[in-house]
Amino acid sequence: MSKKTKTYSLETKLKAVKMYLEDGIGSTTIVKELQLSDENRVLLWVKRFREFGEEGLKEQRGKYKGANKGSPRKQELTLEQENEKLRAEVEYLKKLLQIGRL
């Protein structure tokens, strides 16, 4: 069974970061007060906020739609490369025939 990750609103994240940075409240207290899953989440939000500002707290899951999404596509072989590959396959099959594996 897969564990579903809880998603928090941008407002909740900002409130937690503000409490930590401006008010000096500890992450354990913030977790209890805002009923978050764990204190590491608060520390992660603070780190992202320091690095990227408010943009770093926005939800990123499922948003990437770039050309390089997913596994890389294979480049098409040139005729010479394809010919070389086929020759190697033929040689391999010939050797298998010789030793009786095919």
Side-chain angles (χ1 to χ4, degrees):
M1 227 175 160
S2 66
K3 182 179 175 184
K4 189 169 183 175
T5 306
K6 184 165 180 169
T7 304
Y8 296 98
S9 69
L10 179 61
E11 292 77 27
T12 301
K13 294 175 186 179
L14 284 171
K15 184 175 182 180
V17 169
K18 180 185 176 289
M19 290 170 73
Y20 186 86
L21 293 176
E22 294 176 10
D23 301 338
I25 300 173
S27 58
T28 306
T29 307
I30 295 170
V31 167
K32 289 176 184 173
E33 193 170 315
L34 298 180
Q35 299 175 345
L36 305 175
S37 59
D38 62 76
E39 62 189 74
N40 290 331
R41 178 121 2 252
V42 174
L43 300 176
L44 176 68
W45 292 341
V46 169
K47 179 182 175 189
R48 287 185 182 165
F49 184 80
R50 284 180 173 157
E51 287 181 33
F52 307 107
E54 190 174 315
E55 196 66 30
L57 298 178
K58 292 184 179 175
E59 184 62 48
Q60 298 296 316
R61 290 180 289 181
K63 304 278 184 185
Y64 184 72
K65 293 187 171 120
N68 296 326
K69 184 177 181 182
S71 60
R73 294 201 169 110
K74 294 181 180 177
Q75 287 183 327
E76 288 191 30
L77 300 175
T78 64
L79 290 177
E80 292 81 15
Q81 291 171 328
E82 189 174 351
N83 194 6
E84 175 94 17
K85 180 182 171 191
L86 291 172
R87 284 178 196 248
E89 286 179 13
V90 168
E91 287 302 314
Y92 178 72
L93 292 172
K94 283 182 184 178
K95 287 183 182 180
L96 285 179
L97 278 172
Q98 285 176 352
I99 61 172
R101 285 197 165 177
L102 195 65

